[in-house]
Amino acid sequence: MDKFKIPRHIAIIMDGNGRWAKKFGLNRIHGHKNGVTSVREAVEFCGEKGVEFLTLYAFSTENWDRPRDEINGLMELLVDAIVKETPNLHKNKVRLKAIGNLASFPENVQGKLNQAIEFTSNNTGLVLTLALAYSSRWEIVEAVKRTVEKVVAENIKPESINENFFEQNLTTFGMPDPELIIRTSGEQRLSNFLLWQAAYSEFYFPAVLWPDFRKKDFEHALDEYRKRERRFGKTSEQINQ
Ligand code: FPP
C-alpha cells in the first residue's frame, strides 16, 4: 500500500570518498571535501521530495583508527561545513541533530555543532541527523545502561521490559525507523550503523562513489524503493488487501 510513498526516513552510509580521491591522484581529504557537495545535494533533494528525516553516517567510532592527518582534516571540514551551511539550512527550515559519542570530539567541534543544533532547533522542515563518533553497538550498550538505571530506580519487573521501553533510550528515539538505507561505492555492509533501527529497512547499494552521488542517483534509489514490496513478515495478499 505504501509502495508509491516517499520514505519518511532515509539513512545513508556515505562511502567511497577515499577511492574517489585516489582515482584523481589526490589526497583522501579531497574526496571528503567533494563529499560535502553531495551532502548539500542530498539535503536539497530530500527537502524537495518531502522526506522528513535524513540521517548521514559522517564519522564512525572505527574512523578514530584512521591516520591522524585524515582525522584532523575531517574535523576541520566538519566545522567548516557546519559554519558555512547553517544559514542555508536554517533558511530552508532544516533542523540539525547529531547522534553518537559527541563527547569524544574536540571541544571546538562540539561547540560549533551545538550552536548549529540550537540555532535550527525550532525549524519544522527536514530533520538532518549527523551520526558522529557513532556505532550501533555503542548506542545499544548505552541504551542498556540507561534502561537498567530506570529499572533499578523505578523498581520495574524484567517482564515489563519490552521493545518500546528499551528504544526510548536509543539516540534515535522520536524518529521513525529508516525505510530506506543507502550505501554508496558498491559495499554491501551495515558497518555498525543503525542495527536496531534497520530491522525492516530496504537496502540500496549503488556502485557510485559518494562524491559523485547526485540527485539523479538519489532518484534511482527512490525508484528502486518504490519497486519493492514492504511486507513486515506478512503475506503479499495481506499487504494488498
Ligand atoms: C567514507 O569514505 C566517508 C567518511 C568516513 C567521511 C564522510 C564525511 C563527509 C562526506 C564530509 C563531512 C560531512 C558532513 C556531514 C558535512 P571513505 O573514506 O571510507 O572512502 P573509501 O572507502 O573509498 O576509502
Side-chain angles (χ1 to χ4, degrees):
M1 275 317 219
D2 64 349
K3 269 189 288 196
F4 303 106
K5 281 193 185 162
I6 295 287
R8 289 185 67 198
H9 184 178
I10 300 177
I12 306 183
I13 302 173
M14 308 182 286
D15 199 7
N17 294 353
R19 276 162 283 168
W20 186 93
K22 200 169 174 195
K23 235 174 48 174
F24 296 100
L26 299 168
N27 187 290
R28 296 176 58 83
I29 200 66
H30 290 284
H32 300 313
K33 274 189 186 150
N34 281 279
V36 176
T37 307
S38 306
V39 169
R40 199 179 299 121
E41 203 153 312
V43 172
E44 266 177 36
F45 181 85
C46 287
E48 285 159 17
K49 295 287 172 185
V51 172
E52 294 170 61
F53 300 87
L54 174 66
T55 300
L56 301 176
Y57 206 2
F59 194 88
S60 69
T61 309
E62 292 77 14
N63 286 154
W64 286 123
D65 297 330
R66 293 206 171 183
R68 200 64 239 175
D69 63 337
E70 184 175 349
I71 295 178
N72 291 343
L74 270 169
M75 294 299 143
E76 258 177 52
L77 195 60
L78 197 61
V79 168
D80 197 54
I82 291 166
V83 171
K84 283 200 187 125
E85 301 294 339
T86 300
N88 198 27
L89 293 176
H90 189 57
K91 205 174 82 198
N92 288 291
K93 300 191 170 59
V94 175
R95 182 172 159 208
L96 187 68
K97 288 185 62 159
I99 55 173
N101 187 8
L102 303 178
S104 66
F105 273 73
E107 266 175 28
N108 70 317
V109 181
Q110 288 185 49
K112 295 291 180 210
L113 187 64
N114 287 332
Q115 270 174 21
I117 291 171
E118 178 61 33
F119 188 65
T120 61
S121 61
N122 291 322
N123 287 342
T124 53
L126 175 74
V127 177
L128 171 63
T129 303
L130 302 181
L132 293 166
Y134 174 88
S135 84
S136 223
R137 288 183 176 178
W138 166 83
E139 177 187 39
I140 290 169
V141 171
E142 290 301 306
V144 168
K145 289 183 204 164
R146 268 182 301 244
T147 305
V148 171
E149 276 164 16
K150 277 189 208 163
V151 166
V152 171
E154 296 166 31
N155 205 10
I156 293 166
K157 291 204 168 65
E159 51 273 28
S160 352
I161 301 171
N162 57 20
E163 289 181 16
N164 278 344
F165 181 79
F166 176 72
E167 67 186 6
Q168 285 172 19
N169 299 304
L170 292 173
T171 59
T172 50
F173 181 61
M175 293 188 214
D177 288 341
E179 294 95 328
L180 176 64
I181 297 182
I182 300 170
R183 180 175 190 154
T184 56
S185 89
E187 305 290 346
Q188 305 194 357
R189 290 187 294 279
L190 262 184
S191 297
N192 220 344
F193 186 50
L194 303 179
L195 300 181
W196 173 282
Q197 299 84 342
Y200 291 102
S201 303
E202 295 291 339
F203 295 101
Y204 180 65
F205 300 113
V208 60
L209 304 175
W210 178 249
D212 289 330
F213 191 82
R214 290 288 161 270
K215 287 186 186 178
K216 68 168 174 35
D217 302 293
F218 216 146
E219 198 72 66
H220 287 154
L222 289 189
D223 288 345
E224 180 61 33
Y225 173 77
R226 283 189 199 100
K227 281 190 215 149
R228 301 196 192 164
E229 184 181 60
R230 310 191 69 228
R231 292 197 274 131
F232 303 96
K234 295 182 181 159
T235 67
S236 200
E237 289 70 26
Q238 285 174 305
I239 296 295
N240 291 310
Q241 73 194 359

